[in-house]
Amino acid sequence: MTMTSNESRAAEGLNFFTTGDGVRISYQINGSAGKPILMLANSIATSMSMWDGQIADFSRHFRVLRYDYRGHGESDTPAGPYSFDRLGRDVIELLDALQIDRVHFLGLSLGGVIGQWLGIYAPERVDRLILSN
């Protein structure tokens, strides 16, 4: 029996939480508890699976948290447009739901913009901010 993409992701620990405005956001955590948390935010029009090739290496040093933006991957796709403020608040709500105070945040492209939003509006939630393009 061959697993579908969704079944495969679920087997790997795909989880969901619901934002304050009712959007279901998918996320995944890899790595051992007790390590510093590295949160990964991908580029536009991709999903958290874009990081699959890096997870083994990152997990040796970090507990890795990655997620799909609203409208991406396995997350809900509510009517847009989506503001940078809303995308940034989704990160804060995810961290709150997981009871995580601070993370190292690595953002690629759109993820970098969200990282900048966090640096401006929620700097107390970010230990290290890595912006990439």
Side-chain angles (χ1 to χ4, degrees), residues 50-130:
M50 74 166 273
W51 301 104
D52 286 350
Q54 290 76 38
I55 295 303
D57 288 333
F58 286 161
S59 294
R60 282 189 269 166
H61 307 284
F62 301 98
R63 185 162 174 91
V64 182
L65 169 61
R66 54 188 165 146
Y67 71 107
D68 286 328
Y69 307 126
R70 54 183 58 220
H72 291 72
E74 300 299 320
S75 292
D76 287 348
T77 304
Y82 310 152
S83 69
F84 293 132
D85 181 69
R86 181 66 253 179
L87 295 173
R89 287 186 292 124
D90 287 347
V91 170
I92 299 302
E93 289 183 31
L94 174 57
L95 294 177
D96 288 348
L98 297 175
Q99 299 179 338
I100 297 172
D101 293 328
R102 292 173 67 84
V103 296
H104 301 311
F105 188 92
L106 189 164
L108 175 67
S109 188
L110 175 58
V113 174
I114 294 168
Q116 290 176 62
W117 184 94
L118 292 169
I120 294 167
Y121 297 103
E124 70 283 357
R125 303 305 291 268
V126 179
D127 191 20
R128 302 284 191 281
L129 181 57
I130 305 105

